[in-house]
C-alpha cells in the first residue's frame, strides 16, 4: 500500500503553546498509514489579520501558506478554525486574482481538519487506547459550521476503552474566544466563557475535549481561574493515545 | 435600570452596563431562550427546511435585483386599488411625508402599530415634535412608550424588562392599574388603557411585512391583533415600508410568512396575518377613507450598490439575535442603533455611519450561528467581515491593533525570524508562570483579567520537531 503523503499544518497556537497536539497529530496520522511531513515554510495562516479586516496582511500570509502546502497530496490541520480559514476563506481572498485563485482553490480542496481526515479519508479508528475518565465535548464553531466537524471526533473517541462521553448542554454554543474578540471585548468574552465553564462543570465530567486549542485555552483558563478540577485536552491527544500526559495548564 | 445602557456614550460602556445588570440578563434569557427552543422544534417539524430557506433567499434575491420594475408594478396596483403612493429617499423625507399627511387629516392623535421602519426613520420622535399624540398599540411598544425607552429587540421591543418590572410600570402609569399580580390582570390593564385611545385616533400608522407587487396589497403580521384594531377604525391609514419588502405575488408572500413566523417565535403562523388592499370601497362597512403608502429607501439602494445586497433579504425575524452569544449577554440597547444583534451590526453602519458604529461588526466572535439560523441565508459573518475591512482601510481601527497585527504579519512572513521570535516568546512567557499557569500577562490584560493563560511548553513544536528529526 502506498502511503498518503500529507502535510501537517501545525498552527501558530499549537506551535507556541502546546506542541504535544502537533505530535499527537503526527502519531495518529502515521497510525492511519500516512507519511507525514511538516513543511518548513509555514507560520500562521493569517486568520487574525483576516478577521480584523487587514486583508493585505491576510493575503501575504495566505500566499506564503499556499506555497508551503502546495506540493502535498493532502493538508491536515489540528484546528477547525485554521482549517476553515484555508478551506473556506483562502478562495474568497483571491476571488479577484486570476493568478492565485486556482492555487488557493487547489490547496483549499485538499485541506482537512485532523479528525475529519482520519475518520472520513482514512477510515481509521484508534486501537488499544485506554483512558478511564468521564469526558465532555465542545464543538468549536469554525470546525462545526465551516467544515462540518461533528460526528467524526465522537466516532474516533468511541473506541477508547474506559472513556465515557457525556453531552454538554449548549455544546454547539460559542465559548467566547473568537480569536481577537476575547482581547478586544474581554468583558463580553468573559461573560460568555463564564456560562460555558458553568455548563462544563454541570456535566460532572473529568475531562473537557475540543478540536481547537484557542477555544480550549479560553475554557481551560476560565475553569482554572474558577478553581475547577476539570482537565482540558485537544481530542486528538486522547485519540493518539497521549491522554495520560499533562492536561492544558499542568506541568509536564 | 435596564433602559439605562442606551444612554452611555460608547458601545463598550453600554455593554459594561448591560453586563452588570443581572435583571437584564434574566429577562433576555427568558425570551431569547424560549424563542431558541421553540424555533428548534418548529424547524425540526418543517419538511425540508433547508430547501425552504434556499427558496426564500432566491425570492428575495430576485426582487432585490429587480426592485424598480416590481415597485412600479406595486405602485400601479396600489393606486388602482385606491391608495396613494409616496416615495421617500431618506428618513427625514419619510417623516415629513407622514407628518404632512397627519396634518392634512387634522390629526390630534395617531394609533401606531409597531414597525421597525418607523423606529428606523425616527417616527415617534417626529410625531412628538409635530405635537401629534401617539398611542402605541403593540403591548411591548406601549411598555417602551410608558418607560420612555427605546426598543431592545425587533420582535419583542420590551424584552429587556422582566414582567415584574412591567407590573411596577403599569401600576405607576395606568389610570386604572391591575390589582392582581397575574399576566391576565396586567394585560387587562393595558387593554383598558389602550382601547379608548386606539378607537379615538384620527390616523393609523403601520409598517408592512410584505408589499405584494401584483395586487398592490400590503401584509402585516402581529400577535395581538393590534394592527387591525388601530388601522381599521381611523379615517386615514398610513403605511411606511422599506422598498425591499416587495414580493412578486401572494404565493411568495405565503412562503416568506412560513419562514418568518417559525424563525421568529417558532409558531407555524403569527396569530394575526392581514392583507390590506386600498381604502374602504363603496359598500364596505368599515375601513379607512384614505390609504397612503410611503415607500422608503433610506440607504437601501446604496446597500445594493455597495456589496450589501444580501442584507436586503432580511425579513426582520430576529433569529440571528436570539441565537447570538453576544446579544444574549448584552441585550439590544448596548448596540445603540435601531436594529440590534448580528443584523443590526450590519445595518447600523449603513444608517449611522461606520465611524460611530465600528465596534458593532467587531463585537462578534464569528461563530457563524447567526448565518446557520437565518431563514434567508444571509452570510452575516461575511458581511460583518466586510465592514471590518472597510474600517481597516479607512483607518478607523485602533492604532494598537494596527501596529500589533503589522508586526505579527511582518515576522510571520519571515519564517526563520518567526522561529527565532516564537522560541524567545515562549521562553519569556514561561518566566511569568508558576505551576503551569500565567495569572497576569503583559499586553494581554484583556485575557488574564478574567482567565488564566496556560504556560507554554519549553520549546516550540518546530524546534522540538527539528531536533527529533535531526535537522
Amino acid at each position: 500500500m502506498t502511503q498518503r503523503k500529507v502535510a501537517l499544518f501545525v498552527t501558530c497556537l499549537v506551535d507556541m503553546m502546546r506542541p504535544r497536539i502537533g505530535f499527537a497529530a503526527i502519531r495518529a496520522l502515521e497510525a492511519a498509514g500516512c507519511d507525514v511531513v511538516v513543511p518548513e515554510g509555514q507560520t500562521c495562516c493569517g486568520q487574525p489579520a483576516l478577521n480584523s479586516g487587514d486583508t493585505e496582511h491576510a493575503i501575504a500570509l495566505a500566499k506564503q501558506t499556499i506555497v508551503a502546502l502546495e506540493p502535498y497530496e493532502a493538508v491536515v490541520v489540528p484546528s477547525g478554525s485554521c482549517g476553515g480559514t484555508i478551506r473556506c476563506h483562502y478562495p474568497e481572498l483571491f476571488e479577484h486574482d486570476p493568478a492565485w485563485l486556482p492555487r488557493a482553490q487547489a490547496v483549499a480542496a485538499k485541506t482537512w481538519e485532523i479528525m475529519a481526515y482520519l475518520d472520513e479519508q482514512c477510515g481509521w479508528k484508534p486501537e488499544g487506547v485506554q483512558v478511564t475518565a468521564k469526558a465532555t465535548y465542545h464543538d468549536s464553531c469554525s470546525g462545526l459550521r465551516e467544515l462540518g466537524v461533528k460526528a467524526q471526533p465522537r466516532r474516533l473517541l468511541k473506541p477508547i476503552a474506559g472513556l465515557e462521553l457525556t453531552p454538554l448542554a449548549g455544546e454547539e454554543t460559542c465559548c467566547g474566544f473568537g480569536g481577537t474578540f476575547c482581547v478586544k471585548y474581554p468583558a463580553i468574552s468573559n461573560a460568555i466563557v463564564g456560562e460555558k465553564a458553568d455548563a462544563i462543570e454541570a456535566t460532572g465530567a473529568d475531562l473537557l475535549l475540543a478540536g481547537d486549542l484557542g477555544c480550549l485555552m479560553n475554557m481551560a483558563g476560565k475553569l482554572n481561574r474558577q478553581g475547577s478540577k476539570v482537565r482540558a485536552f485537544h481530542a486528538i491527544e486522547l485519540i493518539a493515545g497521549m491522554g495520560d500526559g499533562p492536561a492544558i495548564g499542568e506541568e509536564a | 435600570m435596564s433602559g439605562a445602557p442606551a444612554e452611555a456614550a460608547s458601545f463598550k460602556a453600554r455593554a459594561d452596563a448591560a453586563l452588570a445588570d443581572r435583571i437584564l440578563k434574566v429577562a433576555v434569557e427568558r425570551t431569547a431562550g424560549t424563542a431558541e427552543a421553540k424555533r428548534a422544534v418548529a424547524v425540526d417539524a418543517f419538511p425540508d427546511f433547508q430547501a425552504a430557506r434556499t427558496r426564500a433567499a432566491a425570492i428575495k434575491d430576485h426582487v432585490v435585483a429587480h426592485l424598480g420594475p416590481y415597485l412600479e408594478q406595486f405602485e400601479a396596483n396600489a393606486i388602482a386599488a385606491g391608495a396613494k403612493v409616496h416615495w421617500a429617499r431618506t428618513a427625514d423625507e419619510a417623516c415629513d411625508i407622514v407628518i404632512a399627511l397627519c396634518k392634512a387629516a387634522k390629526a390630534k392623535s395617531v394609533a401606531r402599530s409597531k414597525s421597525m421602519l418607523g423606529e428606523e426613520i425616527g417616527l415617534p420622535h417626529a410625531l412628538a415634535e409635530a405635537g401629534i399624540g401617539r398611542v402605541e398599540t403593540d403591548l411591548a411598544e406601549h411598555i417602551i412608550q410608558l418607560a420612555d425607552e427605546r426598543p431592545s429587540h425587533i420582535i419583542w421591543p420590551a424584552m429587556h424588562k422582566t414582567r415584574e418590572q412591567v407590573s411596577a410600570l403599569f401600576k405607576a402609569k395606568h389610570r386604572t392599574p391591575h390589582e392582581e399580580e397575574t399576566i391576565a390582570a396586567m394585560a387587562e390593564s393595558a387593554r383598558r388603557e389602550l382601547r379608548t385611545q386606539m378607537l379615538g385616533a384620527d390616523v393609523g400608522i403601520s409598517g408592512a411585512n410584505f408589499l405584494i407587487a401584483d395586487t398592490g396589497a400590503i401584509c402585516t403580521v402581529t400577535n395581538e391583533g393590534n394592527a387591525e384594531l388601530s388601522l381599521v377604525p381611523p379615517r386615514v391609514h398610513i403605511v411606511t415600508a422599506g422598498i425591499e419588502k416587495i414580493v412578486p405575488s401572494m404565493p411568495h408572500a405565503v412562503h416568506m410568512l412560513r419562514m418568518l413566523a417559525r424563525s421568529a417565535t417558532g409558531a407555524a403562523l403569527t396569530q394575526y396575518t392581514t392583507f390590506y388592499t386600498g381604502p374602504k370601497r363603496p359598500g364596505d362597512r368599515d375601513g379607512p377613507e384614505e390609504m397612503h403608502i410611503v415607500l422608503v429607501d433610506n440607504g437601501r439602494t446604496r446597500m445594493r450598490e455597495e456589496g450589501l445586497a444580501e442584507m436586503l433579504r432580511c425579513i426582520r425575524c430576529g433569529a440571528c439575535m436570539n441565537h447570538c452569544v453576544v446579544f444574549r449577554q448584552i441585550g439590544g440597547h448596548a448596540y445603540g442603533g435601531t436594529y440590534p444583534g448580528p443584523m443590526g451590526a450590519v445595518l447600523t453602519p449603513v444608517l449611522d455611519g461606520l465611524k460611530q458604529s465600528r465596534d458593532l461588526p467587531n463585537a462578534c466572535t464569528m461563530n457563524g450561528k447567526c448565518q446557520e439560523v437565518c431563514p434567508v441565508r444571509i452570510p452575516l459573518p461575511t458581511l460583518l467581515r466586510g465592514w471590518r475591512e472597510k474600517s481597516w482601510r479607512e483607518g478607523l481601527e485602533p492604532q494598537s491593533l494596527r501596529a500589533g497585527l503589522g508586526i505579527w504579519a511582518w515576522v510571520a512572513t519571515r519564517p526563520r525570524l518567526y522561529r527565532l521570535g516564537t522560541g524567545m516568546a515562549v521562553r519569556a512567557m514561561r518566566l511569568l508562570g508558576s505551576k503551569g499557569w500565567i495569572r497576569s500577562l503583559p499586553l494581554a490584560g484583556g485575557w488574564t483579567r478574567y482567565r488564566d493563560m496556560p504556560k507554554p511548553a519549553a520549546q516550540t513544536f518546530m524546534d522540538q520537531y527539528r531536533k527529533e528529526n535531526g535537522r
Side-chain angles (χ1 to χ4, degrees), chain B residues 156-406:
Chain B
W156 304 281
M159 73 120 62
H160 57 284
K161 289 200 171 310
T162 59
R163 71 180 77 98
E164 294 80 2
Q165 288 174 318
V166 173
S167 172
L169 187 66
F170 281 4
K171 280 183 178 158
K173 304 267 178 155
H174 282 175
R175 286 165 298 187
T176 321
H178 57 291
E179 285 171 2
E180 271 179 84
E181 284 302 321
T182 62
I183 291 176
M186 284 163 67
E188 194 50 45
S189 172
R191 198 171 278 128
R192 277 194 302 273
E193 188 75 19
L194 288 173
R195 281 271 162 95
T196 47
Q197 294 183 55
M198 282 158 85
L199 294 172
D202 306 299
V203 171
I205 303 178
S206 74
N209 290 91
F210 303 102
L211 304 167
I212 300 165
D214 71 348
T215 57
I218 65 146
C219 171
T220 60
V221 296
T222 70
N223 277 317
E224 297 156 14
N226 50 301
E228 292 71 12
L229 203 52
S230 54
L231 300 180
V232 176
R235 285 177 288 117
V236 177
H237 173 194
I238 303 172
V239 180
T240 59
I243 53 174
E244 85 288 7
K245 293 285 182 188
I246 198 98
V247 292
S249 67
M250 183 66 98
H252 301 100
V254 171
H255 184 74
M256 302 312 285
L257 279 168
R258 298 180 77 200
M259 305 307 286
L260 173 64
R262 283 176 176 82
S263 301
T265 62
L269 262 188
T270 315
Q271 270 86 333
Y272 296 87
T273 302
T274 309
F275 297 85
Y276 308 83
T277 314
K280 184 178 184 174
R281 277 156 293 221
D284 283 355
R285 289 175 61 128
D286 52 21
E289 288 154 24
E290 285 176 38
M291 181 184 188
H292 297 269
I293 303 168
V294 185
L295 297 172
V296 184
D297 186 322
N298 202 30
R300 285 161 174 78
T301 48
R302 191 157 43 85
M303 282 168 65
R304 196 174 60 165
E305 286 147 19
E306 291 178 0
L308 290 169
E310 287 152 319
M311 195 60 215
L312 293 170
R313 289 181 197 155
C314 181
I315 55 173
R316 308 290 191 256
C317 70
C320 60
M321 55 198 76
N322 295 340
H323 291 77
C324 171
V325 281
V326 175
F327 182 92
R328 291 279 278 263
Q329 293 299 339
I330 64 177
H333 281 154
Y335 288 81
T338 301
Y339 302 101
M343 56 84 86
V346 177
L347 286 172
T348 305
V350 179
L351 298 167
D352 297 354
L354 184 58
K355 201 173 175 188
Q356 282 72 42
S357 55
R358 61 151 288 277
D359 265 305
L360 303 184
N362 274 294
C364 156
T365 68
M366 292 278 167
N367 66 68
K369 185 71 186 180
C370 52
Q371 180 174 349
E372 183 183 287
V373 298
C374 176
V376 285
R377 296 190 186 277
I378 299 173
L380 288 155
T382 306
L383 300 181
L384 292 170
R385 194 180 284 113
W387 278 126
R388 294 181 186 188
E389 273 174 45
K390 191 159 198 280
S391 182
W392 191 275
R393 278 200 308 275
E394 293 181 358
L396 303 175
E397 294 302 299
Q399 198 49 47
S400 55
L401 177 71
R402 297 181 73 86
L405 271 175

Side-chain angles (χ1 to χ4, degrees), chain A residues 8 10-24 26 36-44 46 48-58 60-61 64 89 92-93 141-142 144-146 172-193 195 213-214 217-226 248-251, chain B residues 11-12 15-16 19 22 25 29 36 325-326 328-330 358-360 362-369 372 382 385 388-390 392-393 397 401-402 405-415 418-419 421-422 425-426 429-430 434-440 443-457 459-466 468-469 471:
Chain A
L8 180 68
V10 185
T11 88
C12 46
L13 268 188
V14 169
D15 180 38
M16 288 176 71
M17 301 303 293
R18 195 162 169 84
R20 69 197 310 281
I21 294 171
F23 290 107
I26 293 174
V36 186
V37 182
V38 182
E40 274 287 317
Q42 62 172 290
T43 60
C44 162
L50 175 75
N51 278 345
S52 297
D54 180 3
T55 312
E56 199 183 319
H57 283 133
L61 286 164
Q64 170 177 280
H89 300 299
E92 291 169 5
L93 270 176
C141 303
S142 303
L144 177 69
R145 301 197 179 92
E146 292 183 345
E172 292 189 0
T173 302
C174 177
C175 74
F177 173 62
T180 51
F181 171 82
C182 63
V183 285
K184 283 185 192 164
Y185 301 93
I188 303 172
S189 175
N190 173 55
I192 299 169
V193 73
E195 273 181 23
L213 182 54
M217 283 167 55
N218 183 41
M219 295 181 289
K222 185 67 187 175
L223 286 164
N224 193 63
R225 181 65 61 94
Q226 292 183 350
I248 291 172
E250 287 175 2
E251 296 274 29
Chain B
F11 170 76
K12 281 190 183 173
D16 283 345
L19 290 169
R22 299 326 289 168
K25 173 70 186 164
E29 213 49 49
E36 182 182 13
V325 281
V326 175
R328 291 279 278 263
Q329 293 299 339
I330 64 177
R358 61 151 288 277
D359 265 305
L360 303 184
N362 274 294
C364 156
T365 68
M366 292 278 167
N367 66 68
K369 185 71 186 180
E372 183 183 287
T382 306
R385 194 180 284 113
R388 294 181 186 188
E389 273 174 45
K390 191 159 198 280
W392 191 275
R393 278 200 308 275
E397 294 302 299
L401 177 71
R402 297 181 73 86
L405 271 175
I407 294 166
W408 171 253
W410 192 84
V411 178
T413 43
R414 288 161 179 80
Y418 179 85
R419 305 273 171 255
T422 48
V426 297
M429 276 177 79
R430 284 177 62 81
S434 72
K435 288 190 196 148
W437 292 97
I438 302 166
R439 297 191 72 87
S440 171
L443 304 174
W447 181 283
T448 49
R449 196 181 315 155
Y450 300 108
R451 66 219 115 177
D452 299 326
M453 174 73 84
K455 209 161 95 173
Q459 274 188 322
T460 65
F461 173 86
M462 283 299 192
D463 285 346
Q464 287 184 45
Y465 179 78
R466 266 187 296 196
E468 286 179 20
N469 287 267
R471 282 191 241 183

